[in-house]
Amino acid sequence: MRYLSCLIFLLHFGFLGYSQFQLSGTITNEKNQKLTGTHIHTSYRNVASDPIGAFEINGLPKGELRVIVSHLGYQTKDTLVDIQEDLVLNIQMVPSETTLKEVSVSAKSTLSGKSVVESTLKSETIEKYSSQTLGDALKEVTGVSLLKTGNVISKPIIHGLHSSRVPIFTNNVRLEDQQWGVEHAPNFDINAAGKITVIKGASGLKYGGDAIGGIVLIEPEKITADSIHGKTIVSLNSNGLGGSLTSSFNQDRIKGWSWNVLGTLKYFGDREAPDYVLSNTGNREANVSGGLSYTQPNYSLSGFYSLYQATIGILSASHIGNATDLYNAINNQVPAIINDFTHEINNPKQEVTHHLAKFNYSQRLSDSSDLDIQYAFQSNQRLEFDLRRGASFNVPALDLSLVTNSLLLDYVKRNEVWTFKMGFNGFVQNNYANPATGIRPLIPTYDRIDFGAYGIFEYRIASDFILETGLRYDFSTLEATKYYQKSRWDERGYTPDFDHFILAEFGNQWLTKPKFTFHNFSGTIGVRKTFEKNWMTFANLSLSNRNPNPSEFFSDGLHHATGMIELGDLFLDKETSLKVSITATKTFEKVSFEVSPFLNSVANFIFLKPIGFETTIQGAFPVWEYEQTDALLAGIDASFKWDIQTNLNYTLGLAYVYGRDVTANDYLIDMPPLNLSNRLKFSKKEWNGFFMELQSEWVFTQKNFPNNNFGTQIIVDGAFQTVEVDVSTPPPGYYLLNFYTEKEFNLFKKVQTRMAFTVQNILNTNYRDYLNRQRFYADDLGRNIQIQFKFNY
């Protein structure tokens, strides 16, 4: 009720805020003469420079803005500015046969603070995690937690929701990489990101109607210089005795052509907890990506390709031989297998390979309208290796190949007071489950077809008041080919409801062809309002739908990477989310804060629940099954920043999610506990860009959890004894302290050299995270010392 009261209060006193800023400047030629009639084009408004070369655009929102400046006989300038305050953009144009010499940007006000709708990580922050994962970097965003399997595999949780509820877009392509698995990390090289944006909530209709939790948008680094530029980062880590090497080169706007290329290598051995080695937790990566584009004033063409390859070891102690050993492993709090440190990666392990290629064409139809067309191809192969003996040792237990072809079309029309966006997207997808593994595949072969259309209308009622509304329709069909054991078919109660899926009988199995079709409507309405004295508020109401994914429908057997038996359910229906979210921000001279409560009602919420043990020829494993209920999620994200002195500032972040199973009148499983983060930063630019920061993370004990404990029989003193297996009680809360510092050194001519030093978990704290699937078997990571060398040239 406290959260509901807070929501009602904020709804009553203010709606979603959005700052209005001004972009102005002067256009000159190479002789510093004022240029009149120069065209300045933005997505919000188009203007021309006056007789003294000046221009002014008012009513611009906070965030990145693309600005295109063109004048007959001069090279067109296409640049990106980050509007956090009023900006002056002075541009010197040069004849088209030469290159642009100067662009200067300066601030006119001191208003600060991040977007209340989007949270952005820029390249400076991303570089800190060069040898780690996308999930590790996303933890920098208040309100984002991680669902982990061990210490390398992680995926973001936004407002208590994860996996297919939080789609990830890289370079404007939705990542399709078997993301249904809780232990399937995004197949993406963090070093390929120039900027990462987190959109909390389901208001991004352009990207899909199923983003119930939120959206992660990854954009490549944008370079506007005409010469060749490069960057190399070398990272060395103590925990895992490994590191990474990444290098990139790029060049922009040479007679309209731009290109970039990037490569990354990662090599790690076993990670270590404070008291022991986490055996078989090394990983390898070898990634490459590159792009080529051609840009003219009225159109552009571009192509992009990336290859991601990774081998990831799975903790040996998470694969147990029998129910007695499994029970003891969970209750003893000590890994059943502890070996000496090694860089070798043995079974169990994952091997993943992901190809992505895309082609894009953009056309400026007029000064007020644009059209974008994009085609993308993705191929993902996932191999999971179990502890098999004899000739099958090197044969994967799971071999899945996923191929996706997608098409995207976006159209934008605008004038000074309104903007209309509409688009269409569709994809055809095939997943092939290789039968040569000799093991029943967890996920069957299937074909999926999706297409959707959306329209978004934004109306500027006043300079400080904007209304935005949108509607989206999605069609989806999923058809699988799957063998069911008759005993499993009867156990799940599929007769007579799904007998029409049965094609043939083969001994004790049914050959089935399940097919599901969905028609979904999603919508959003929001208002953005700026009040006096730097008050900004935002309110949004969104409706979204998510269909069950193939794992939730069809899982039937051992998931080798997690050491769990997972069972899907053909009775599952689509999730329907109705979410209201509010953000309020206030900026003072030295202090600013942001508060974002939300309330999300999800009908037919799908979750994975532990129900017992099952013994197979491979050993004893816990059994988890997908179930469905009506759920209510409420929570709050809050941040506070204080500029104590010119060179010293403090930030505080808080996130809390409350999840309730409305049908069972119980708590929801796997909800992030309350967590606080503190950061104290000292910077001194005069000291060669020196800064250092001390950061702490306080994760509280999760008190709100369902009791899913179950009984099993183990052998005690040579006889069977019934015991209760506690898989429900969360581990105690924990406190982590981290340190980071960076400084520039003048070591080489024409090369900017920076060195960074990091210590994670300074106190070498023993802890287990509630959202780590391997918390039953081992502690999390101990202290890690990292040294980075960054070269820009």
Side-chain angles (χ1 to χ4, degrees):
M1 290 301 296
R2 287 179 295 175
Y3 302 106
L4 183 58
S5 300
C6 183
L7 281 167
I8 295 173
F9 176 83
L10 287 174
L11 277 171
H12 181 73
F13 285 100
F15 286 104
L16 199 150
Y18 200 78
S19 298
Q20 305 296 314
F21 298 111
Q22 181 189 83
L23 177 68
S24 60
T26 303
I27 311 297
T28 59
N29 63 12
E30 76 280 10
K31 298 179 181 179
N32 276 333
Q33 297 170 331
K34 303 295 192 297
L35 285 179
T36 182
T38 303
H39 178 77
I40 298 94
H41 171 88
T42 74
S43 59
Y44 293 89
R45 188 182 174 191
N46 308 316
V47 299
S49 59
D50 62 20
I52 61 171
F55 73 92
E56 183 178 293
I57 304 177
N58 295 301
L60 295 174
K62 184 186 293 187
E64 281 198 346
L65 178 71
R66 184 184 182 190
V67 181
I68 301 174
V69 183
S70 59
H71 192 102
L72 184 64
Y74 292 87
Q75 180 179 341
T76 296
K77 176 62 185 175
D78 186 347
T79 189
L80 226 70
V81 295
D82 189 11
I83 298 208
Q84 300 293 327
E85 51 202 352
D86 289 349
L87 289 181
V88 174
L89 179 68
N90 294 323
I91 298 180
Q92 186 182 67
M93 306 289 285
V94 294
S96 56
E97 68 270 15
T98 61
T99 55
L100 189 63
K101 298 293 184 185
E102 179 182 352
V103 177
S104 63
V105 181
S106 60
K108 288 171 58 177
S109 70
T110 58
L111 186 63
S112 63
K114 6 180 235 190
S115 168
V116 297
V117 182
E118 303 176 354
S119 300
T120 300
L121 299 178
K122 297 187 177 180
S123 58
E124 295 82 1
T125 302
I126 296 170
E127 287 178 357
K128 292 166 56 177
Y129 298 93
S130 176
S131 64
Q132 299 183 57
T133 68
L134 173 64
D136 294 318
L138 288 173
K139 278 198 69 178
E140 291 272 348
V141 177
T142 300
V144 176
S145 303
L146 296 184
L147 182 67
K148 303 177 69 176
T149 300
N151 306 290
V152 178
I153 301 170
S154 62
K155 57 202 319 178
I157 301 176
I158 300 177
H159 291 171
L161 303 174
H162 57 81
S163 300
S164 54
R165 301 183 184 99
V166 182
I168 296 173
F169 288 79
T170 171
N171 214 341
N172 205 43
V173 178
R174 179 165 177 157
L175 203 57
E176 294 290 341
D177 55 353
Q178 304 282 4
Q179 62 269 28
W180 46 264
V182 295
E183 89 311 339
H184 297 178
N187 294 171
F188 174 77
D189 177 12
I190 183 68
N191 295 286
K195 185 180 77 169
I196 302 173
T197 302
V198 176
I199 302 176
K200 301 173 185 176
S203 57
L205 293 181
K206 171 183 175 180
Y207 302 100
D210 59 347
I212 293 177
I215 298 170
V216 177
L217 302 178
I218 305 170
E219 301 175 47
E221 189 169 6
K222 293 180 172 62
I223 303 296
T224 57
D226 59 349
S227 58
I228 296 177
H229 282 250
K231 178 172 67 174
T232 296
I233 302 176
V234 180
S235 301
L236 303 173
N237 292 259
S238 65
N239 200 327
L241 292 181
S244 66
L245 170 66
T246 181
S247 285
S248 62
F249 299 91
N250 45 66
Q251 188 173 25
D252 187 68
R253 302 293 190 268
I254 296 298
K255 296 183 179 181
W257 290 96
S258 304
W259 61 268
N260 69 282
V261 63
L262 177 142
T264 298
L265 295 173
K266 296 182 181 180
Y267 186 90
F268 283 90
D270 291 338
R271 301 316 202 277
E272 296 184 42
D275 297 328
Y276 45 77
V277 173
L278 299 168
S279 297
N280 201 50
T281 55
N283 67 292
R284 314 273 191 272
E285 282 188 28
N287 312 315
V288 64
S289 62
L292 179 67
S293 65
Y294 179 71
T295 303
Q296 290 297 298
N298 292 319
Y299 73 92
S300 67
L301 292 164
S302 65
F304 173 82
Y305 170 77
S306 69
L307 168 63
Y308 174 91
Q309 293 179 301
T311 300
I312 304 171
I314 304 298
L315 180 71
S316 297
S318 65
H319 284 239
I320 308 297
N322 56 65
T324 302
D325 291 341
L326 182 58
Y327 170 77
N328 291 331
I330 293 175
N331 285 272
N332 292 343
Q333 296 290 293
V334 176
I337 301 173
I338 302 177
N339 297 319
D340 292 337
F341 172 87
T342 179
H343 281 94
E344 292 184 8
I345 300 177
N346 299 309
N347 297 347
K349 65 182 179 182
Q350 299 179 2
E351 292 183 1
V352 292
T353 302
H354 188 83
H355 299 268
L356 187 155
K358 80 153 193 173
F359 303 93
N360 183 271
Y361 174 76
S362 298
Q363 176 70 54
R364 184 190 299 177
L365 302 176
S366 68
D367 287 344
S368 61
S369 61
D370 298 286
L371 177 68
D372 289 317
I373 302 174
Q374 175 182 288
Y375 164 76
F377 168 83
Q378 296 180 74
S379 173
N380 183 273
Q381 183 177 41
R382 165 169 288 273
L383 305 176
E384 297 186 1
F385 295 83
D386 200 3
L387 298 173
R388 306 177 75 178
R389 294 174 174 82
S392 300
F393 180 79
N394 291 318
V395 177
L398 184 68
D399 183 351
L400 301 177
S401 296
L402 183 72
V403 175
T404 307
N405 290 273
S406 62
L407 184 66
L408 176 68
L409 186 149
D410 289 316
Y411 171 78
V412 179
K413 176 73 174 178
R414 68 187 75 78
N415 65 19
E416 294 185 3
V417 297
W418 57 262
T419 300
F420 175 68
K421 302 177 183 178
M422 64 176 294
F424 163 87
N425 70 282
F427 74 76
V428 177
Q429 188 175 80
N430 170 262
N431 181 72
Y432 175 68
N434 190 347
T437 62
I439 295 178
R440 179 186 303 275
L442 176 71
I443 302 297
T445 295
Y446 67 82
D447 292 296
R448 179 180 169 188
I449 300 175
D450 281 29
F451 67 80
Y454 75 92
I456 301 174
F457 183 75
E458 181 182 293
Y459 183 67
R460 194 177 303 273
I461 299 173
S463 61
D464 59 357
F465 189 27
I466 295 176
L467 171 68
E468 183 180 41
T469 185
L471 184 66
R472 181 181 178 94
Y473 165 75
D474 286 284
F475 167 84
S476 179
T477 180
L478 176 66
E479 185 176 43
T481 301
K482 179 175 174 57
Y483 286 90
Y484 275 97
Q485 290 182 327
K486 292 180 179 179
S487 58
R488 185 76 79 187
W489 184 270
D490 295 336
E491 170 195 309
R492 308 301 291 173
Y494 290 157
T495 298
D497 299 79
F498 301 114
D499 284 348
H500 60 285
F501 290 157
I502 298 175
L503 298 181
E505 179 180 7
F506 292 89
N508 64 347
Q509 298 184 99
W510 297 118
L511 172 60
T512 68
K513 205 169 189 65
K515 183 176 182 179
F516 298 92
T517 299
F518 298 93
H519 300 271
N520 297 329
F521 287 93
S522 306
T524 181
I525 183 169
V527 290
R528 296 176 279 193
K529 175 68 177 172
T530 302
F531 297 96
E532 296 180 356
K533 299 180 180 180
N534 294 335
W535 269 107
M536 297 182 290
T537 55
F538 172 91
N540 180 272
L541 178 66
S542 59
L543 172 71
S544 55
N545 295 277
R546 185 187 73 89
N547 305 327
N549 63 42
S551 174
E552 294 162 340
F553 268 141
F554 306 126
S555 288
D556 181 19
L558 179 61
H559 198 168
H560 304 274
T562 60
M564 301 190 317
I565 292 173
E566 297 178 9
L567 300 177
D569 192 345
L570 297 180
F571 286 104
L572 296 178
D573 201 354
K574 65 183 178 183
E575 294 179 335
T576 300
S577 165
L578 183 63
K579 182 175 183 179
V580 59
S581 60
I582 300 172
T583 298
T585 70
K586 171 67 174 177
T587 303
F588 300 93
E589 183 177 354
K590 291 188 175 183
V591 173
S592 63
F593 67 85
E594 176 179 305
V595 180
S596 302
F598 70 90
L599 186 67
N600 192 1
S601 175
V602 186
N604 300 319
F605 179 77
I606 301 171
F607 62 100
L608 197 55
K609 174 182 176 181
I611 60 172
F613 280 166
E614 186 171 310
T615 300
T616 70
I617 59 173
Q618 286 120 336
F621 300 94
V623 179
W624 294 61
E625 70 174 5
Y626 286 100
E627 296 187 2
Q628 203 159 39
T629 189
D630 291 337
L632 183 68
L633 294 93
I636 187 169
D637 299 336
S639 61
F640 169 83
K641 182 178 180 180
W642 176 25
D643 293 325
I644 304 171
Q645 294 179 352
T646 304
N647 302 317
L648 186 66
N649 65 66
Y650 167 77
T651 57
L652 167 70
L654 176 149
Y656 178 70
V657 178
Y658 176 85
R660 192 72 182 173
D661 183 335
V662 176
T663 304
N665 192 26
D666 201 354
Y667 299 112
L668 288 177
I669 192 173
D670 291 339
M671 289 293 109
L674 172 67
N675 67 85
L676 296 173
S677 63
N678 297 271
R679 190 186 306 270
L680 186 65
K681 180 177 180 179
F682 173 80
S683 59
K684 194 76 171 177
K685 291 185 178 180
E686 299 83 8
W687 299 351
N688 289 339
F690 171 81
F691 74 89
M692 64 179 181
E693 58 185 29
L694 191 65
Q695 185 262 344
S696 69
E697 181 182 2
W698 189 1
V699 178
F700 289 71
T701 303
Q702 177 60 276
K703 300 292 187 180
N704 303 326
F705 60 92
N707 184 354
N708 293 319
N709 295 346
F710 51 81
T712 190
Q713 286 195 326
I714 66 171
I715 298 176
V716 179
D717 297 329
F720 282 103
Q721 178 178 325
T722 301
V723 295
E724 182 181 66
V725 183
D726 186 358
V727 296
S728 304
T729 305
Y734 57 90
Y735 178 84
L736 301 179
L737 194 62
N738 308 307
F739 174 78
Y740 182 84
T741 185
E742 187 173 316
K743 187 180 187 297
E744 184 176 337
F745 294 88
N746 297 318
L747 299 179
F748 309 101
K749 291 183 179 180
K750 297 183 180 180
V751 178
Q752 182 191 60
T753 305
R754 299 187 67 85
M755 188 176 77
F757 178 75
T758 305
V759 185
Q760 297 169 318
N761 193 1
I762 294 175
L763 304 178
N764 209 25
T765 302
N766 294 87
Y767 72 99
R768 298 192 180 197
D769 193 285
Y770 176 55
L771 298 174
N772 191 333
R773 290 289 183 179
Q774 291 183 356
R775 66 180 173 85
F776 301 113
Y777 311 109
D779 289 343
D780 266 274
L781 286 179
R783 183 186 299 116
N784 179 49
I785 300 173
Q786 175 180 270
I787 298 176
Q788 282 186 321
F789 298 94
K790 307 177 183 181
F791 307 98
N792 289 275
Y793 37 87

